[in-house]
Amino acid sequence: MGTLALLDALWEMPAEKRIFGAVLLFSWTVYLWETFLAQRQRRIYKTTTHVPPELGQIMDSETFEKSRLYQLDKSTFSFWSGLYSEIEGTLILLFGGIPYLWRLSGRFCSYAGFGPEYEITQSLVFLLLATLFSALTGLPWSLYNTFVIEEKHGFNQQTLGFFMKDAIKKFVVTQCILLPVSSLLLYIIKIGGDYFFIYAWLFTLAVSLVLVTIYADYIAPLFDKFTPLPEGKLKEEIEVMAKSIDFPLTKVYVVEGSKRSSHSNAYFYGFFKNKRIVLFDTLLEEYSVLNKDIQEDSSMEPRKEDEGNSEEIKAKVKNKKQGCKNEEVLAVLGHELGHWKLGHTVKNIIISQMNSFLCFFLFAVLIGRKELFAAFGFYDSQPTLIGLLIIFQFIFSPYNEVLSFCLTVLSRRFEFQADAFAKKLGKAQDLYSALIKLNKDNLGFPVSDWLFSMWHYSHPPLLERLQALKSTKQH
């Protein structure tokens, strides 16, 4: 009854009030739904204190407990950061934060001699101030996550100085891309006429393809060191596997991810006949800095005065991350190359661009509705950038939630298919052991609530993937 009364009250309000109320109501509905799911998963973390029988051969009790405590800490952090984010967003809307920032941007422009007719210039100042505000309010949360949670559980490898330098560099690089691209997009919308949405879509398509092409060669090296994988057995086997499936491999890189975190990863990039593979050093047992530290500790002759620390050294060696052997790395790459061979990358690009075109088309339909601007405090002007923000972020939010869930379901399907492709390459046993190692190295918790995993997991739960591989592994 209360909900119906609220909806009736909303419907009797003016159009702009209805829009504003609906946006706030949907935002809090999504937040409460996400919180409900998170609490279901948190209950799993709290109550599952022993390794389930079906995982007995996969995970030892010590690693299970470590992963449980790690995920509990992440869950607590996620709750408080999510609550802060929702309250912050609500207060910004209620107290007119968006129109205030727009007016402030206009004042800065007027100080520099730019009047209201320079809307694109004012839009760029607005973007700069908005992203600066977001970076500053998010900084304490990022610091806590890195230097408390990740540090506590052995993942953080950064110093405070490195972290701050990295954050400033990310902000500067983001602005160097965001501001020129945004100015061109706004200009295209302004001069594009009735079919501006087609030109805007084509422009964003071109930008996304360029960024994907140059990211690993020109942007990522600004933050991490990329070195060619040295000649040797692993590189030869990667090249042989790539050739066997007609993957046009040109280079294989190792990225020094260990200076930032001990989490591991691998990916490929590039278009047409120019594909490159990137391996994190934390993925490779032979190249991991952590494993080199272990070797140094274990190879040191214990002095008499250090005998009391021998057990501590042994424990350190035992508990360090392992990385994967060459055969397991090849199996992981077999899975990744499966995404390419099965067309998953192209399918994702097509889905993304179809969605982008639809959104720009609907934006063209809605941009003339003055009540949308009035709902968020813009009564006398309808800036294009504000229209993009209102329509893409707020009006499309129900559609975006549905789309996100559908893409999550599709992603899980793609992951199973890529695992099956690795099977066909004869990598089932190595992928089986690699998944277990990666789960252990990253302290993934192998037990999940069905509803939480269905809504959130872009990858199938570990046990489901292992069961799908098991029959082939046994053969």
Side-chain angles (χ1 to χ4, degrees):
M1 185 68 70
T3 304
L4 290 175
L6 179 61
L7 292 174
D8 287 339
L10 274 175
W11 190 253
E12 292 173 1
M13 294 178 178
E16 61 268 21
K17 297 292 184 183
R18 291 203 304 269
I19 293 168
F20 184 81
V23 165
L24 272 184
L25 180 63
F26 185 78
S27 177
W28 277 94
T29 300
V30 170
Y31 169 75
L32 292 174
W33 167 248
E34 297 280 1
T35 302
F36 166 71
L37 294 178
Q39 290 306 310
R40 287 176 62 102
Q41 182 63 22
R42 185 174 176 81
R43 196 178 302 119
I44 297 288
Y45 297 145
K46 284 186 171 182
T47 57
T48 313
T49 55
H50 300 287
V51 183
E54 63 270 23
L55 296 171
Q57 302 299 317
I58 298 171
M59 205 171 195
D60 61 85
S61 57
E62 183 183 0
T63 303
F64 186 85
E65 180 65 8
K66 283 182 179 180
S67 66
R68 188 181 76 86
L69 295 176
Y70 176 51
Q71 298 300 332
L72 264 176
D73 283 349
K74 285 178 64 178
S75 173
T76 302
F77 174 81
S78 178
F79 171 79
W80 289 110
S81 62
L83 178 61
Y84 168 80
S85 179
E86 187 64 24
I87 292 174
E88 179 192 76
T90 300
L91 292 177
I92 287 172
L93 291 178
L94 288 175
F95 290 97
I98 298 175
Y100 170 78
L101 194 61
W102 181 257
R103 291 193 298 271
L104 182 63
S105 305
R107 285 202 290 271
F108 281 127
C109 287
S110 65
Y111 296 151
F114 296 99
E117 66 275 14
Y118 290 92
E119 184 187 310
I120 293 179
T121 303
Q122 186 173 347
S123 298
L124 299 185
V125 176
F126 177 90
L127 278 175
L128 179 62
L129 294 177
T131 51
L132 181 61
F133 174 81
S134 178
L136 292 176
T137 54
L139 183 60
W141 297 99
S142 184
L143 283 168
Y144 185 87
N145 183 54
T146 301
F147 292 101
V148 177
I149 296 178
E150 296 293 301
E151 183 80 28
K152 175 183 176 182
H153 295 279
F155 289 113
N156 177 48
Q157 306 295 324
Q158 303 178 71
T159 63
L160 181 60
F162 178 89
F163 176 91
M164 295 305 298
K165 180 182 176 183
D166 205 47
I168 293 170
K169 196 187 296 184
K170 283 178 183 176
F171 182 81
V172 171
V173 171
T174 299
Q175 300 312 310
C176 290
I177 298 171
L178 175 66
L179 298 183
V181 169
S182 299
S183 63
L184 285 171
L185 176 62
L186 293 173
Y187 182 72
I188 289 169
I189 293 173
K190 288 284 186 186
I191 68 166
D194 293 339
Y195 297 101
F196 76 84
F197 62 93
I198 297 176
Y199 309 132
W201 168 68
L202 290 173
F203 173 72
T204 56
L205 170 61
V207 168
S208 62
L209 293 178
V210 169
L211 287 177
V212 168
T213 303
I214 70 171
Y215 173 78
D217 286 328
Y218 299 102
I219 300 175
L222 296 173
F223 303 95
D224 295 302
K225 183 180 178 182
F226 286 69
T227 55
L229 180 67
E231 297 294 334
K233 186 178 179 183
L234 178 60
K235 185 177 181 182
E236 291 173 4
E237 290 179 333
I238 291 174
E239 290 172 343
V240 168
M241 182 171 67
K243 189 175 181 181
S244 71
I245 61 170
D246 300 320
F247 182 78
L249 178 64
T250 55
K251 292 181 182 178
V252 184
Y253 291 109
V254 177
V255 59
E256 192 182 359
S258 56
K259 70 177 182 180
R260 180 173 282 106
S261 170
S262 55
H263 290 295
S264 50
N265 198 7
Y267 63 91
F268 69 88
Y269 70 99
F271 287 105
F272 307 116
K273 300 295 183 181
N274 188 29
K275 306 285 187 184
R276 290 103 184 273
I277 288 174
V278 177
L279 307 170
F280 279 56
D281 60 348
T282 46
L283 177 68
L284 308 175
E285 193 176 79
E286 293 182 7
Y287 297 92
S288 174
V289 173
L290 298 171
N291 289 338
K292 291 176 183 177
D293 291 341
I294 292 173
Q295 291 171 3
E296 289 174 5
D297 286 336
S298 60
S299 63
M300 288 173 60
E301 285 292 330
R303 295 174 299 181
K304 190 170 184 179
E305 59 269 28
D306 291 336
E307 286 178 0
N309 297 329
S310 61
E311 291 301 319
E312 182 181 340
I313 293 173
K314 289 178 182 177
K316 181 181 178 184
V317 171
K318 178 183 176 183
N319 294 326
K320 281 290 184 180
K321 308 292 183 292
Q322 290 184 331
C324 292
K325 296 177 181 177
N326 286 358
E327 296 80 8
E328 294 163 339
V329 173
L330 287 168
V332 171
L333 285 179
H335 167 95
E336 294 299 327
L337 296 181
H339 285 305
W340 170 80
K341 189 68 174 178
L342 298 171
H344 296 166
T345 307
V346 173
K347 289 173 185 175
N348 280 329
I349 291 174
I350 291 172
I351 291 170
S352 172
Q353 293 310 314
M354 288 175 62
N355 173 63
S356 178
F357 181 83
L358 174 63
C359 288
F360 274 117
F361 172 75
L362 293 176
F363 170 77
V365 172
L366 297 172
I367 188 64
R369 305 294 294 268
K370 292 185 178 180
E371 60 268 28
L372 290 179
F373 291 90
F376 295 89
F378 290 84
Y379 300 100
D380 302 320
S381 63
Q382 291 85 42
T384 303
L385 178 66
I386 301 302
L388 286 167
L389 173 67
I390 290 171
I391 294 171
F392 276 76
Q393 183 170 339
F394 299 123
I395 305 304
F396 288 171
S397 53
Y399 164 74
N400 290 336
E401 287 295 323
V402 174
L403 178 66
S404 176
F405 173 70
C406 292
L407 291 178
T408 299
V409 173
L410 181 64
S411 175
R412 286 198 298 268
R413 179 179 176 84
F414 283 171
E415 292 302 316
F416 276 126
Q417 290 176 354
D419 283 351
F421 183 83
K423 283 184 187 180
K424 292 181 180 179
L425 296 178
K427 307 292 184 184
Q429 184 168 351
D430 292 323
L431 183 59
Y432 189 96
S433 59
L435 289 175
I436 294 171
K437 279 189 177 181
L438 292 173
N439 186 78
K440 178 182 177 182
D441 290 356
N442 292 286
L443 290 185
F445 195 69
V447 184
S448 56
D449 173 75
W450 71 271
L451 193 56
F452 180 87
S453 64
M454 180 185 73
W455 187 261
H456 282 292
Y457 286 5
S458 61
H459 287 58
L462 175 66
L463 199 57
E464 291 183 21
R465 295 181 72 180
L466 295 182
Q467 287 171 343
L469 287 167
K470 198 169 185 179
S471 60
T472 303
K473 173 178 174 287
Q474 288 173 343
H475 290 315

